Amino acid sequence: MRKLERLGFEVLRAERGTAHVPNDLVCAAWLRYSRLLPPEDVPWRAAPPGRLARTVRAALVPPAVPLLLAVYTLDLLLAPVARRTALANAYRVIARRHR
């Protein structure tokens, strides 16, 4: 907030931690697992993955679903605790620029 004030803003209100969407753990688990798989076919890659890579990826995604569901359940169970701690993932600032 000091940075905002140095840039000429007046901080009217700051709020931390009241919002929490229980998906942090499941998203982290999916991103980690996805990095272990062959690359997916996305527009920003120079060349699409070959047939073998696509087949391997398609074969290894479904077995991860039970683990991801378990991690999502853990996310849901931890959500009430996460909302009350400084570990929550929300930070909102309302500021007005000085004229």
Side-chain angles (χ1 to χ4, degrees):
M1 288 187 283
R2 288 184 293 243
K3 178 77 171 178
L4 285 171
E5 291 167 350
R6 283 195 303 269
L7 293 171
F9 289 87
E10 174 189 2
V11 175
L12 302 175
R13 184 173 177 182
E15 184 178 297
R16 182 181 178 94
T18 58
H20 180 77
V21 179
N23 63 7
D24 295 340
L25 295 177
V26 73
C27 287
W30 169 251
L31 290 172
R32 183 68 176 142
Y33 184 72
S34 182
R35 293 208 34 142
L36 299 174
L37 299 174
E40 61 184 318
D41 189 10
V42 290
W44 52 85
R45 293 208 186 275
R51 181 177 297 188
L52 178 62
R54 287 192 316 267
T55 303
V56 169
R57 185 176 183 89
L60 293 178
V61 168
V65 171
L67 174 64
L68 294 172
L69 288 173
V71 173
Y72 180 63
T73 302
L74 184 61
D75 252 336
L76 292 174
L77 292 172
L78 292 175
V81 175
R83 284 187 191 105
R84 293 184 211 130
T85 67
L87 301 175
N89 61 356
Y91 191 76
R92 295 184 187 103
V93 176
I94 299 174
R96 176 181 18 205
R97 187 175 191 111
H98 294 294
R99 294 181 186 228

